[in-house]
Amino acid sequence: MTNFSRFCCLFSTAIPIDTLKSRLQTAPNGTYKNLFDVFQSLVRTEGPTALFRGLSPALLRAFPANAACLCGVETVKGLLEKR
């Protein structure tokens, strides 16, 4: 499995859960009973694709963010090895 497909699998499973969590946290008190209630309401009113809203920006952001992190790790590693 390539790294790209791993990232896609990771984000495609994490984004729906994060969407539900965000909806629950930002809703006025008493709007939802629990996470399953958020899920039912979201799918009923906006359809199942609403669970994946935000997937594209997350995937686009992941690659530069991970590249920057790797660059930082390798830079620090190089500096420590010189000591």
Side-chain angles (χ1 to χ4, degrees):
M1 187 179 257
T2 66
N3 286 338
F4 178 74
S5 57
R6 287 181 186 149
F7 276 118
C8 289
C9 289
L10 170 70
F11 281 105
S12 64
T13 57
I15 292 293
I17 296 166
D18 191 54
T19 299
L20 295 174
K21 174 197 63 101
S22 297
R23 294 278 179 123
L24 183 63
Q25 289 176 332
T26 58
N29 286 339
T31 304
Y32 302 113
K33 296 177 214 165
N34 53 34
L35 213 53
F36 188 69
D37 189 29
V38 179
F39 174 78
Q40 285 181 323
S41 175
L42 182 66
V43 172
R44 189 179 325 113
T45 58
E46 299 179 41
T49 57
L51 292 168
F52 296 95
R53 196 167 290 144
L55 179 62
S56 297
L59 288 174
L60 291 172
R61 179 189 69 228
F63 296 109
N66 288 326
C69 184
L70 180 62
C71 181
V73 167
E74 290 298 323
T75 301
V76 171
K77 183 179 168 184
L79 292 172
L80 290 175
E81 287 176 350
K82 288 181 182 179
R83 294 177 98 189

